[in-house]
Amino acid sequence: MKAERVVRGCFALSLAASVGLSLVYLAGGSRAWEGVLLAAALGGIAVGFILWATRLIDAPDNVEERREQKPGEGLGLISEVLEQSVTGVSRRKVLAGLASGAAASLGAALAIPSLSLGPQPGRSLFRTLWVPGIPAVDSEGGRVRPEDVPLSGIITVFPQGSEGAGDSQAVLLRVAPDLLSLPEARASWAPQGCLAYSKICTHAGCPVGLYRAQARELLCPCHQSTFDVLTGAAPVFGPAVRPLPQLPLAVDEDGYLVAQGDFSGPVGPSFWNVTQ
Amino acid sequence: MIRYVESRLGLDSWGRRALRKVFPDHWSFLIGEIALFCFIILVATGTFLTLFYRPDAAVVTYEGPYEPLRGQEVSAAFDSVMRLSFEVRAGLVMRQIHHWAALVFVASTVVHMCRVFFTGAFRRPRELNWIVGFTMLMLALGLGFTGYSLPDDLLSGTGLRIGYSALISIPFAGPYIASLAFGGEFPTENVISRLFVLHVMLLPGLTIALLGAHLAILWRQKHTQYRGPGRSESNVVGKGLWPYQALLSLGVMALTAAVLALMGGLVQINPIWLYGPFDATTVSAPSQPDWYMGWLDGATRLFPPWEPTVFGVTIPSMFLPAVLLPGLFFTVVALWPFIERRLTNDAAEHHLLDSPRDEPGRTALGVAGLLFFTVLTLAGGNDLIALTLDIQVESMTRFFRLAMFVVPPVGGALAYRICRQLRDSREHPLGRGSGVVLRRTEQGGFEEVPRS
Ligand code: FES
């Protein structure tokens, strides 16, 4: 019989592939050969079994009757047993109520420790580590002078001592001061045209890492929100709504950039009581 | 051996009935089995991975054989996945099979649900099993998301970050939920170990329990079947479990594993060494999530910049597309058996399956839903599409915004018409009709009417 010979061949092939697989492993392994030989070993078994089932077996159709489930039927026997729990109880409702009350409050009491999973958010969403006078440093901890800031690129800066801090990261860039049209109150925030904005996108929190120096726009790669750096990082395209909060900068006696204080608003994605 | 067990458990007559259990023979009943087999493969390969993975955010210096990253500071988790990929023999192939199996697991679950939906297999008495199956889909998505995040590479960090901002966007409770889930403000140290517990213990444990329930209910309620000679609402016609169905299923299991092994060996997936370790200050562009998450990414991209403040409560722009939209979509899916029952007033038991054309309304709705999903998924890659076609991202976004509202209803209406036509013509769209139509000619002879 032909089909039977094919099935035998499949199993034999699988066997050989398995031996090969072990040899490849012992010889040091190779991702591609391991995959191919494993596939051959399994594939041989697969084709073997499928042909066995479909070609070799002459299985007749069986017929099985269903037992129809009518609504409401078949609960008499169970409720008869269940009823035993309330024989000899005079005020069932009270008893059942108290028992479920006890169970529910136990459940609640046991769920409360899940509060240890994290701190109360409190004011932390409104604050970062920037404080008045703290130097802005790059990821290596080096202080930055306005002249060090390139006109065509960005530097990521942190408050000194917290290099790498997720919520305090800011992009630092420089433009010619006469191009700026910042809001009135921020006139003194950009010494020598140096601007610092929160690097966390106000949409979904991705780092806003791309700078189109020609257009003077910061671009978030996640969903393409685009921010105009000259006007205080107001969004000009994409799903972000709030501008990137700005970090007020100043230059200290030694000529290095420091923060005048915290960002102009809460950084990162919006939440229900975010301040605009 | 059989006798040994039999003399202790007394299973002879039960066993005989079980081995004879009837399984209607149709390819579409095998899709759910493929999902099951993927899960088995996931548990097997996942166990192997767990032996080498370290759920640890501590910073270490990478000193492995992969040159470009040597000397970089990475998390211990990332380091362990690198070691697994480059130094553990057969580690990389296992990891890739695991990832491919995860993608196929979700895919086959979705296709299986589509089969159940379009054939009306969810109707009474199987609503319960629909809910169980739906819950397993949710668990599968959770498993996918947590697993995707474990290697602690740049790409997975982006996924987590967006997950965090979706959580925090929930009105009132958001900041609290996000802080509890992540143990503080993103990025935090604890998140890796939490994801690990979810991924290797809680979620798979629940899945296994529900899988047991799913199969037990199926066994108890017996299979549905398509219409055909000798088949009625009160019987099941098909092959017995042994030997036909058992051998066939074993074959399909081996086939599933074989295909996954081939993909795992030959098709690279999630090469974390190219993405690099997670770093809170960078993001890889363009970043693409696993396929089943892409539609949410797409919805987020298409949503207009709109963040209204109602009575002092800001509705963050992430909330509607990333929380409310999937929430509503999934609620409708979960409750569909009950919704349809309301709409059709059909509370009867059904064991014979519909052909999709029999219920044009349901089919149209399903097609519209799938198209909605597809448009959003494509929108999730709008920057890639724009790059390939050399179009502005902005115009792609505008195009997809329109498509999202136009394509699903048009596709649904089209599906409705096709169903009606097929139903009226009684023709199978794939199988050719075997008969020909004869016409009496004027001379009294017969001629064939050409098929249109
Ligand atoms: S996170 Fe920046 S655009 Fe979405």
Side-chain angles (χ1 to χ4, degrees):
Chain A
M1 222 175 121
K2 196 156 159 288
E4 195 177 333
R5 243 184 292 142
V6 178
V7 172
R8 260 187 262 145
C10 286
F11 288 139
L13 174 93
S14 167
L15 205 153
S18 294
V19 174
L21 182 62
S22 313
L23 291 179
V24 167
Y25 178 88
L26 294 176
S30 134
R31 169 176 64 101
W33 279 109
E34 277 158 0
V36 170
L37 287 172
L38 181 57
L42 289 160
I45 293 181
V47 179
F49 272 135
I50 292 173
L51 287 182
W52 186 347
T54 54
R55 294 291 158 76
L56 300 187
I57 301 171
D58 188 18
D61 267 352
N62 294 356
V63 180
E64 231 175 83
E65 295 306 316
R66 288 183 202 275
R67 161 198 68 88
E68 190 148 1
Q69 182 93 55
K70 296 224 176 56
E73 178 199 285
L75 281 180
L77 300 174
I78 295 182
S79 32
E80 206 174 281
V81 181
L82 291 179
E83 286 294 314
Q84 288 179 358
S85 60
V86 284
T87 50
V89 175
S90 56
R91 298 170 69 190
R92 306 171 167 211
K93 284 238 173 78
V94 179
L95 193 63
L98 278 175
S100 18
S105 32
L106 179 63
L110 291 180
I112 282 179
S114 65
L115 290 180
S116 351
L117 284 174
Q120 294 268 315
R123 300 301 297 166
S124 72
L125 291 174
F126 297 89
R127 266 198 314 253
T128 70
L129 300 171
W130 292 100
V131 289
I134 196 167
V137 297
D138 62 21
S139 55
E140 250 84 75
R143 301 196 56 182
V144 193
R145 268 185 302 241
E147 311 85 87
D148 304 337
V149 184
L151 279 165
S152 57
I154 50 175
I155 316 180
T156 305
V157 291
F158 302 91
Q160 192 172 48
S162 313
E163 293 82 5
D167 66 340
S168 305
Q169 51 179 312
V171 287
L172 180 59
L173 49 91
R174 190 154 67 101
V175 297
D178 48 320
L179 290 174
L180 284 174
S181 55
L182 292 174
E184 207 48 43
R186 299 188 187 177
S188 69
W189 288 14
Q192 300 172 41
C194 286
L195 294 160
Y197 293 108
S198 163
K199 199 181 177 180
I200 313 174
C201 188
T202 52
H203 177 234
C206 287
V208 182
L210 306 175
Y211 182 49
R212 291 180 178 157
Q214 297 296 315
R216 300 203 175 70
E217 284 171 348
L218 283 164
L219 181 85
C220 174
C222 279
H223 316 99
Q224 295 98 34
S225 285
T226 312
F227 304 90
D228 177 5
V229 302
L230 299 179
T231 60
V236 290
F237 178 77
V241 178
R242 287 160 47 236
L244 297 172
Q246 186 174 359
L247 186 72
L249 291 177
V251 178
D252 68 1
E253 310 88 83
D254 308 324
Y256 289 99
L257 286 168
V258 296
Q260 291 184 33
D262 208 341
F263 286 106
S264 59
V267 301
S270 298
F271 43 96
W272 69 276
N273 55 351
V274 71
T275 40
Q276 299 296 323
Chain B
M1 165 69 181
I2 292 177
R3 182 158 305 146
Y4 181 90
V5 175
E6 158 59 21
S7 65
R8 277 152 187 84
L9 299 178
L11 289 173
D12 194 36
S13 77
W14 180 86
R16 183 187 162 85
R17 253 184 300 130
L19 289 174
R20 281 263 174 99
K21 180 150 188 82
V22 165
F23 287 78
D25 194 17
H26 192 271
W27 62 267
S28 67
F29 295 142
L30 293 176
I31 304 168
E33 289 195 20
I34 293 178
L36 169 66
F37 300 145
C38 282
F39 184 72
I40 294 173
I41 293 162
L42 282 166
V43 172
T45 49
T47 307
F48 181 86
L49 302 184
T50 313
L51 300 177
F52 300 94
Y53 178 72
R54 277 185 58 196
D56 186 351
V59 179
V60 298
T61 310
Y62 178 70
E63 270 154 5
Y66 183 70
E67 273 313 324
L69 287 186
R70 211 180 281 168
Q72 262 206 47
E73 298 213 317
V74 300
S75 69
F78 183 85
D79 187 57
S80 71
V81 182
M82 286 298 283
R83 180 149 352 112
L84 175 69
S85 305
F86 285 96
E87 290 159 74
V88 175
R89 249 187 239 185
L92 183 55
V93 80
M94 286 284 194
R95 225 195 97 215
Q96 299 208 125
I97 294 177
H98 191 76
H99 202 134
W100 279 118
L103 299 189
V104 179
F105 176 50
V106 183
S108 48
T109 306
V110 169
V111 177
H112 171 64
M113 276 181 94
C114 288
R115 194 277 291 169
V116 169
F117 178 85
F118 285 112
T119 59
F122 54 81
R123 291 170 298 175
R124 188 186 151 90
R126 294 184 178 75
E127 315 96 316
L128 202 61
N129 228 10
W130 171 266
I131 299 274
V132 173
F134 170 82
T135 315
M136 279 198 285
L137 175 68
M138 294 298 104
L139 291 173
L141 295 181
L143 279 163
F145 185 76
T146 52
Y148 181 79
S149 307
L150 285 180
D152 202 24
D153 58 305
L154 200 49
L155 205 51
S156 71
T158 307
L160 273 182
R161 185 192 293 283
I162 294 175
Y164 174 83
S165 55
L167 275 186
I168 206 174
S169 78
I170 300 169
F172 304 114
Y176 296 90
I177 298 178
S179 178
L180 289 182
F182 283 74
E185 225 180 311
F186 185 88
T188 56
E189 307 245 290
N190 352 18
V191 86
I192 290 278
S193 51
R194 290 185 184 180
L195 291 171
F196 183 66
V197 172
L198 285 174
H199 186 75
V200 306
M201 194 181 94
L202 278 177
L203 297 178
L206 283 173
T207 307
I208 290 171
L210 288 180
L211 205 57
H214 202 62
L215 297 178
I217 295 175
L218 166 110
W219 188 274
R220 173 80 183 156
Q221 291 183 331
K222 301 204 165 100
H223 245 287
T224 52
Q225 60 190 350
Y226 290 98
R227 287 163 206 283
R231 303 180 180 184
S232 73
E233 290 282 7
S234 61
N235 69 5
V236 209
V237 182
K239 310 276 193 227
L241 170 61
W242 187 263
Y244 178 82
Q245 186 64 36
L247 289 179
L248 187 67
S249 292
L250 277 175
V252 174
M253 168 143 80
L255 193 63
T256 311
V259 172
L260 291 174
L262 204 59
M263 297 210 286
L266 299 182
V267 192
Q268 189 178 62
I269 188 167
N270 205 19
I272 57 156
W273 51 94
L274 298 184
Y275 307 146
F278 174 69
D279 167 8
T281 62
T282 40
V283 65
S284 58
S287 51
Q288 294 296 315
D290 278 342
W291 74 267
Y292 44 81
M293 288 292 175
W295 68 295
L296 294 178
D297 196 39
T300 317
R301 286 173 193 223
L302 296 190
F303 194 71
W306 188 56
E307 219 163 62
T309 302
V310 202
F311 298 118
V313 176
T314 301
I315 311 290
S317 56
M318 282 293 279
F319 181 65
L320 283 122
V323 180
L324 204 61
L325 173 87
L328 286 177
F329 187 84
F330 284 135
T331 309
V332 171
V333 172
L335 298 182
W336 181 253
F338 309 99
I339 300 175
E340 187 180 298
R341 191 155 142 189
R342 264 291 158 75
L343 294 177
T344 58
N345 264 326
D346 175 8
E349 286 210 354
H350 293 280
H351 301 288
L352 283 177
L353 294 175
D354 290 331
S355 166
R357 75 179 80 167
D358 297 337
E359 291 292 337
R362 182 203 292 144
T363 305
L365 188 82
V367 168
L370 288 177
L371 285 173
F372 184 66
F373 178 85
T374 312
V375 170
L376 288 185
T377 304
L378 289 176
N382 64 349
D383 48 343
L384 285 182
I385 301 177
L387 206 68
T388 344
L389 300 182
D390 201 18
I391 312 175
Q392 291 261 305
V393 180
E394 285 85 342
S395 18
M396 281 319 293
T397 303
R398 253 171 246 128
F399 167 75
F400 279 120
R401 274 188 193 146
L402 191 71
M404 169 180 140
F405 290 105
V406 174
V407 172
V410 169
L414 210 65
Y416 190 84
R417 286 213 46 189
I418 295 175
C419 287
R420 292 287 292 263
Q421 266 173 17
L422 285 176
R423 190 171 61 174
D424 297 343
S425 71
R426 296 162 181 263
E427 243 176 65
H428 194 281
L430 302 178
R432 276 222 210 101
S434 55
V436 291
V437 179
L438 293 182
R439 176 164 65 193
R440 189 103 191 239
T441 58
E442 278 161 33
Q443 290 79 28
F446 292 93
E447 68 175 17
E448 228 176 86
V449 176
R451 298 171 62 91
S452 51

